[in-house]
Amino acid sequence: MTGATHVLGIDSGGSGVRVAVARAQTCRGSAEKPLTWSSPTPAVVGDRGIDAHGLLARVEPAARELLREAGVRRLGAVCVGAAGMATLGDDLRATLPGALADAFGVRRLALAADGVTAYAGALGQRPGAVVAAGTGLIALGVVPEAADGSGGGSGLGGGSGSGGGSGWRRADGWGHLLGDCGGGAWIGRAGLEAAMRAYDGREGGSRPLLARLEAVFGPPGELPGKLYPRPDRPAVLASFAPEVARCAVADPVANPVADPVAEAILRDAARHIAEAAEAVCPRLEPSEVALTGGLFRMGEPLLAPLRAELAARLPGIPVAEAAGDPLEGALCVAAALAAGELRLPRDPGLLSVVAQAPLRGASDSWGASDNR
């Protein structure tokens, strides 16, 4: 990457889109903070999956501005991490390599599932398992390739998750209708169901959760009409997860006694999260498990039962603090790719790499194409 000192990372998740530019030493512990841009609006999903042109229309001008701010004219590599890349990423894989090469002159591009960038942000290129949980939830485990290109895929135990043949092991991440069990939308939906049960007078209902539903969304009978037409239903459901956590803890003013229904929802969530980690975690030294994503900011109401579940299911495997988030993971992957040191296994759905030869007579300076 002669003359290219920086890399570009893009994170497209259920809660929005973020872009960052950083020095290529990001994965090696550079103290310099990246320049970032963010939008709370998620990428659009249409008939062809994630809309590549819609995503480009937002991230390209943001990236150009960050590059100008950083004084950067060449990029060593780009990594795009996106929720749904494995199952909804066909348009991204078809469109982004050429579009980003045209826009920025970059010839090294990694297209990754957000679980992969979450893994890289949390553990870098060390063996282990990462559970990434926000609106949704996915768990990935991997044994990265050795520096000489060997290894990857050995020692992965349990489960029948996809990606095992490539070195990746996946559990869940199937979306809020088919899975994402224990994630934010799952917890929020369970809390709203318990509230509606209380509203109807059915068993399993929770009066504290009903009170929180009324405070957040208004009259319970009007909730279906507000929720079902929304294109961002998973995010709306996930927005209620903190209310479940709030009801699970006794509060002298708002909630004198912890709500047993809310507590049970979080215990079930913890069990689902630990099951996903168990399904993908390599059974060898020195594996680690890391938890990353906004869900875990919920704190002890979720983390206490989760620690107990992980200790029971994965005895002897330490739970490490995540070093960074998925955007930092995208920068880490891009930096490793730019240096020729990317050891995370390639996979058609989870992590694909495009390395194009520069066009004859073309400049790799993004500024050269700025006025075309």
Side-chain angles (χ1 to χ4, degrees):
M1 59 171 188
T2 304
T5 60
H6 286 67
V7 292
L8 176 68
I10 298 169
D11 173 47
S12 174
S15 301
V17 176
R18 299 183 296 162
V19 181
V21 170
R23 290 192 178 275
Q25 291 86 358
T26 298
C27 238
R28 302 187 187 97
S30 172
E32 182 178 330
K33 290 190 176 297
L35 299 175
T36 61
W37 171 91
S38 64
S39 165
T41 305
V44 174
V45 178
D47 293 340
R48 297 187 61 193
I50 303 167
D51 179 12
H53 290 289
L55 181 63
L56 277 168
R58 296 166 62 195
V59 303
E60 184 179 333
R64 288 186 182 278
E65 183 57 36
L66 293 176
L67 290 167
R68 287 192 184 95
E69 188 177 343
V72 175
R73 294 187 63 81
R74 289 183 176 86
L75 284 169
V78 176
C79 175
V80 180
M85 178 69 79
T87 53
L88 300 170
D90 287 348
D91 194 27
L92 297 182
R93 284 184 282 270
T95 303
L96 293 189
L100 291 173
D102 289 345
F104 302 112
V106 69
R107 301 296 163 184
R108 292 183 177 182
L109 169 67
L111 297 173
D114 62 335
V116 171
T117 52
Y119 188 102
L123 291 180
Q125 300 195 83
R126 304 196 304 274
V130 169
V131 180
T135 299
L137 182 142
I138 186 171
L140 287 178
V142 72
V143 179
E145 297 172 355
D148 61 4
S150 64
S154 62
L156 290 166
S160 57
S162 63
S166 71
W168 290 103
R169 195 82 176 179
R170 169 182 172 166
D172 216 331
W174 304 123
H176 74 292
L177 295 179
L178 298 177
D180 287 357
C181 298
W186 186 95
I187 292 172
R189 195 213 62 81
L192 290 170
E193 180 190 344
M196 296 306 292
R197 284 179 172 274
Y199 179 68
D200 292 342
R202 291 179 288 152
E203 290 185 6
S206 164
R207 300 298 300 182
L209 287 171
L210 176 59
R212 295 313 305 156
L213 183 157
E214 292 170 336
V216 174
F217 294 110
E222 297 177 7
L223 180 59
K226 295 178 179 178
L227 176 62
Y228 294 151
R230 293 281 294 263
D232 58 344
R233 284 186 299 275
V236 176
L237 292 171
S239 72
F240 197 69
E243 304 298 336
V244 178
R246 186 173 291 113
C247 290
V249 177
D251 181 279
V253 177
N255 196 38
V257 178
D259 177 29
V261 174
E263 289 181 307
I265 291 171
L266 295 185
R267 283 197 303 271
D268 286 345
R271 175 174 53 81
H272 285 305
I273 295 168
E275 286 173 347
E278 180 185 25
V280 303
C281 187
R283 304 302 201 273
L284 47 76
E285 295 286 347
S287 290
E288 304 168 85
V289 174
L291 309 173
T292 184
L295 183 72
F296 300 114
R297 291 197 291 269
M298 193 176 288
E300 287 302 300
L302 175 63
L303 293 179
L306 178 53
R307 282 193 293 266
E309 287 281 352
L310 289 171
R313 294 174 181 274
L314 294 170
I317 295 181
V319 178
E321 182 177 354
D325 64 12
L327 182 59
E328 292 168 293
L331 292 171
C332 178
V333 170
L337 179 61
E341 299 173 355
L342 183 61
R343 296 185 290 107
L344 297 176
R346 314 303 196 263
D347 177 273
L350 296 175
L351 178 60
S352 57
V353 172
V354 179
Q356 303 172 343
L359 298 174
R360 181 174 298 177
S363 168
D364 63 351
S365 165
W366 68 269
S369 62
D370 199 29
N371 297 315
R372 289 179 312 172

